[in-house]
Amino acid sequence: MFPGAHPAKACRIVSVLRRIYLDNNATTPVLPEVVDAMRPYLGEHFGNASSIHHHGQETRAAVERSRDCVASLLGCRASEVVFTSGGTESDNLAIAGLTVLGDHIITSTIEHHAVLYACKHLEETGCEVTYVPVDGRGLVDPDDVRRALRSNTKLISIMMANNETGVLQPVEEIGKIAAEAEIHFHSDAVQAASKVPIDVKQIGCHALSISGHKMHAPQGVGALYVRGGTRIQPLFYGGRHERSRRAGTENVPGIVALGKAAKLAMEGFEGDDDKRMSAFRDRLQQGILAQVDEAGVNGDGAPRVPNTSNIYFDHIEGESMVISLDLKGVAVSTGAACSSGAIEPSHVLTAMGLRTDRARSSIRFSLGKQNTAEDIEVALALVPEAVARLRELSPA
Ligand code: PLP
């Protein structure tokens, strides 16, 4: 304390806001076990995994161990896993890498922008793209995919789980359509990995994207499954890393973290983590709907990943709700983090047929492994209160 300072001022009482993070589809906290696994590769084990000396061999071995873990998570061979910088790169690599000028691509209206904008870019540069619609529950109809096939269709790209609603798409049926038509099938499984089991053989896909930071590994690492024997054109030119499918020195700490997160995800399925998660999600969803009228679940009636609930609250603005809850310590979102602040309502919710005002009033609650029963109870006490206050202020 400075000489002469008032003691009461020096020991101000600081009340600490309890922060509850329910925006795990935007990004997840890195689990302590994952931090522990990657830490040595930020320090003592610093070698370039392509170097032939001791330091390189050490990190090469770690990269290959992680590749085995990711392969086990996806049900594929280690040689079919390509490490990337994340979901966006994996999606772009699959879409640009499996098509050439003049090809036709089938995708859906509710894909993440990493897929939609990659397709739009190819459309502008000489490919044709069909965007199949979804129904009111947010589901693609496989018959629409079949009807969209043309003689020059080379790729179907349909996501496994939607990032805003959590709705799981009928990927196995779509995989069969691709197999019958003898064309490639890519699925963006960024929001499915670690939440539901994935078996690439059962899905029948040729490529599948995952991202580390959606499954408790850090941001900036991901992977693309590429079925053995599938010729994929790389996005980057350089060294012959990742069997010439992705040039660039491997992000060893990130890859080690992704491998550990994949291992933890598999252990989680054995320990029924997904059932615990869906019980929390259902408690939150039912608790909110029991206390708030003129509210409902977007994607209700469709199969969903266990951690996501997207709820509309008529007569409020979603953005105001996000701010209001944040002031109370609860982090939620109105949809995709990369679209936050967007003027347009969610392209996913409008594709499902929601009115603009209802789409704008929707909030995504997404849980992670770190959430507790207490988090849910605190959120349940705060959400109805926030809705009531915003509705009082609303001119509608
Ligand atoms: N695909 C989906 C479904 C996503 O939710 C996201 C991120 O929100 C991405 C792709 C992009 O992944 P990344 O942030 O790792 O680039």
Side-chain angles (χ1 to χ4, degrees), residues 140 142 145 156 158 169-179 185 203:
V140 168
V145 175
I156 300 172
I158 303 285
Q169 299 301 326
V171 283
E172 287 180 29
E173 282 180 72
I174 296 167
K176 289 195 186 95
I177 295 170
F185 175 34
I203 296 170

Side-chain angles (χ1 to χ4, degrees), residues 25 86-89 91 112 114 159 161 163 188 190-191 211 213-214:
N25 285 9
T88 300
E89 186 189 328
D91 286 344
H112 188 271
M159 68 198 328
N163 45 303
D188 175 342
V190 164
Q191 294 289 352
S211 171
H213 75 108
K214 310 293 184 173

Side-chain angles (χ1 to χ4, degrees), residues 82 84-99 105 107 110-119 122 155-161 163 186-191 207-211 214 222-226 232-233 235:
V82 180
T84 65
S85 65
T88 300
E89 186 189 328
S90 296
D91 286 344
N92 276 266
L93 175 56
I95 292 163
L98 294 173
T99 52
I105 304 166
T107 189
I110 54 146
E111 298 297 312
H112 188 271
H113 285 139
V115 167
L116 281 180
Y117 291 165
C119 287
L122 291 183
L155 176 69
I156 300 172
S157 180
I158 303 285
M159 68 198 328
M160 190 166 174
N163 45 303
H186 162 250
S187 189
D188 175 342
V190 164
Q191 294 289 352
L208 180 136
S209 309
I210 66 167
S211 171
K214 310 293 184 173
L224 180 68
Y225 154 75
V226 182
I232 190 156
Q233 194 64 26
L235 286 180

Side-chain angles (χ1 to χ4, degrees), residues 324-344:
S324 174
L325 284 175
D326 188 45
L327 292 172
K328 303 222 171 274
V330 180
V332 294
S333 75
T334 49
C338 36
S339 304
S340 291
I343 310 292
E344 296 300 314

